[in-house]
Structure formats: C-alpha cells, structure tokens
C-alpha cells in the first residue's frame, strides 16, 4: 500500500466545492496579505485552518498600517473564537447558517450591480434567484441591514477576499456553503488574483482512505503498520 498522509482536520469539503464550482480538485492559495477587505465564514486561520502560521503572518501584513490605511477583517462565526477576537468586526450568526448568509450577500451584490468588471452577473443570478435577504436575516440572526452593509463593503473594497472553514464546514451542508463562498469570490473578482490555484504541492488522505485502511487492517490485509508523527486514534 502507498503511504497515507493523515489530516485530522481534513479539508475535503473545500475540494468538493472547488470541483463543483471550478472543476479543480485542489485547495488554492489564499493571498490574505493582498486583501484590503477580508471576510471569513468560520475560517479560524489564526488557530487551525489549513496553514495557521502562514496565514497569521499574512494577516499581520494585511492588517498593518500602509500608506495611511489598513485592511479590514470581518469574521462570521457563532462563537467568539481567537480568530473572531482579532477581527475588526465579529458577526454572530446562528450555527450552520453560513451558506445562506453568503448567498444573501451575493444576492445584494448581483441585484445592485456591484459585481467586479468582467464578471458575468447573469451567470451568478441563477444561484441567488430564490434568495430572500429578509428571510435569511431571520434564519441567521444577522440583521438585513448588516448583511447589506457587509456586501457593499466587500464589493467596494476592490481587493476583497472571502474564506470559509472551521466548524462551519463540519456539517452536512459544508460543500454547499463553500460553493456559496466560491461564488462570492467570483463576484468580487478575487479568483485568479487573491484565490490562486496551481501552487498546491502536498495532499492529505481523505476520510475514505482512512476507512479503507481501517477495514483492510481489520481483515488482516496489513501485516505491519508504521505510524509516524500522527495520532489517528486520538483525533
């Protein structure tokens, strides 16, 4: 059997969403340091999300005062995490409602003609045709005025970036939520600029790979298993 790289916080939903949206089975590079407006849906990039050391350093650059201004960071999450505590604004939503909230923001951007130059607004319109911002406000606990303000600020920044991860992508609707975030990044022109595919070098095994290994071991098909620097029984 080939070696299996074990990842306890597997980013499988990110890959699934990227396959559905972009046809890319990959995790892109998120250029946080280049964002003038960073909007995160549960991505605790200062704590555990993908590469927290790298992202924390990038966030320090993004949030530092340069040419008289600093980037703005808004974090959407039900709990006040360490990442949320470092944000300029923490938006508290009902757990599991990140996807509808992202689509409501996309609805505002599309309906008000705020999409980035060169982006096909009509193609995005189908994804939000049935979205009602007022209904989403009730569902998420985030006021409609706040949803509209965040959408306006994100679109107006011209260098926005949207992230999704953490506990927000551990539910059954994780892939759909991340697809909504992908569409937000498309709408603001971030894909290809601050969301870059092509730089991924390492790939962890999937949950399905771990299940297959466990089943093979139980059947006696694995005589020797060498475990290095991970603790799958714990995590």
């Amino acid at each position: 059997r080939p070696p299996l790289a074990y990842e306890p916080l597997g980013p499988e939903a990110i890959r699934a969403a990227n396959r559905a949206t972009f046809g890319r089975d990959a995790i892109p590079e998120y250029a946080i340091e280049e964002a003038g407006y960073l909007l995160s849906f549960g991505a605790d990039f200062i704590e555990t999300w993908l590469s927290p050391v790298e992202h924390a350093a990038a966030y320090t650059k993004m949030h530092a005062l340069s040419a008289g201004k600093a980037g703005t960071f808004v974090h959407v999450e039900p709990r006040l995490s360490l990442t949320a505590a470092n944000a300029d604004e923490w938006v508290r939503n009902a757990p599991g409602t990140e996807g509808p909230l992202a689509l409501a923001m996309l609805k505002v951007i599309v309906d008000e003609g705020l999409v980035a130059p060169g982006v096909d607004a009509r193609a995005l319109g189908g994804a939000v045709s049935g979205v009602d911002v007022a209904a989403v406000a009730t569902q998420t606990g985030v006021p409609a005025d706040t949803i509209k303000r965040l959408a306006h600020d994100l679109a107006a920044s011209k260098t926005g970036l949207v992230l999704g991860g953490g506990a927000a992508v551990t539910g059954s609707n994780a892939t759909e939520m991340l697809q909504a975030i992908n569409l937000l990044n498309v709408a603001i022109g971030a894909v290809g600029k601050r969301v870059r595919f092509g730089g991924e070098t390492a790939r962890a095994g999937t949950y399905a790979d771990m299940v297959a290994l466990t089943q093979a071991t139980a059947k006696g098909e694995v005589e020797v298993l060498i475990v290095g620097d991970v603790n799958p029984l714990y995590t």
Side-chain angles (χ1 to χ4, degrees), residues 110-123:
V110 171
D111 285 358
E112 298 189 16
L114 302 176
V115 298
V119 175
D120 187 353
R122 292 176 297 178

Side-chain angles (χ1 to χ4, degrees), residues 52-73:
V53 174
E54 174 189 356
H55 293 327
Y59 172 65
T60 299
K61 294 179 181 178
M62 172 261 182
H63 210 236
L65 190 66
S66 176
K69 61 185 301 184
T72 299
F73 170 38

Side-chain angles (χ1 to χ4, degrees), residues 149-210:
R149 173 176 58 82
L150 295 178
H152 292 161
D153 291 347
L154 176 64
S157 72
K158 307 301 182 184
T159 54
L161 174 63
V162 189
L163 309 176
V169 296
T170 57
S172 60
N173 62 347
T175 300
E176 289 77 8
M177 186 273 280
L178 288 166
Q179 285 180 264
I181 285 175
N182 283 344
L183 294 180
L184 264 180
N185 277 320
V186 169
I188 63 175
V191 178
K193 296 179 180 177
R194 292 165 297 283
V195 179
R196 304 167 183 157
F197 287 95
E200 187 178 19
T201 56
R203 176 167 181 170
T206 65
Y207 294 135
D209 292 333
M210 289 300 299

Side-chain angles (χ1 to χ4, degrees), residues 37-158:
Y37 191 94
L38 180 63
L39 176 61
S40 169
F41 289 84
D44 53 344
F45 59 84
I46 294 178
E47 300 157 79
T48 64
W49 187 68
L50 297 181
S51 182
V53 174
E54 174 189 356
H55 293 327
Y59 172 65
T60 299
K61 294 179 181 178
M62 172 261 182
H63 210 236
L65 190 66
S66 176
K69 61 185 301 184
T72 299
F73 170 38
V74 178
H75 189 71
V76 179
E77 191 176 18
R79 70 185 184 97
L80 183 60
S81 63
L82 178 62
T83 303
N86 279 272
D88 296 295
E89 180 179 358
W90 169 43
V91 177
R92 187 173 188 174
N93 67 300
T97 62
E98 292 82 6
L101 188 57
L103 286 178
M105 293 182 189
L106 180 62
K107 172 81 170 176
V108 173
I109 291 174
V110 171
D111 285 358
E112 298 189 16
L114 302 176
V115 298
V119 175
D120 187 353
R122 292 176 297 178
L124 295 172
V128 295
S129 60
V131 175
D132 182 277
V133 175
V136 171
T138 300
Q139 178 185 4
T140 63
V142 179
D145 287 345
T146 300
I147 295 175
K148 294 176 182 178
R149 173 176 58 82
L150 295 178
H152 292 161
D153 291 347
L154 176 64
S157 72
K158 307 301 182 184

Side-chain angles (χ1 to χ4, degrees), residues 186-233:
V186 169
I188 63 175
V191 178
K193 296 179 180 177
R194 292 165 297 283
V195 179
R196 304 167 183 157
F197 287 95
E200 187 178 19
T201 56
R203 176 167 181 170
T206 65
Y207 294 135
D209 292 333
M210 289 300 299
V211 171
L213 175 61
T214 302
Q215 292 173 341
T217 304
K219 294 176 182 177
E221 297 174 2
V222 177
E223 294 184 3
V224 178
L225 178 64
I226 300 175
V227 181
D229 297 325
V230 299
N231 192 347
L233 291 180

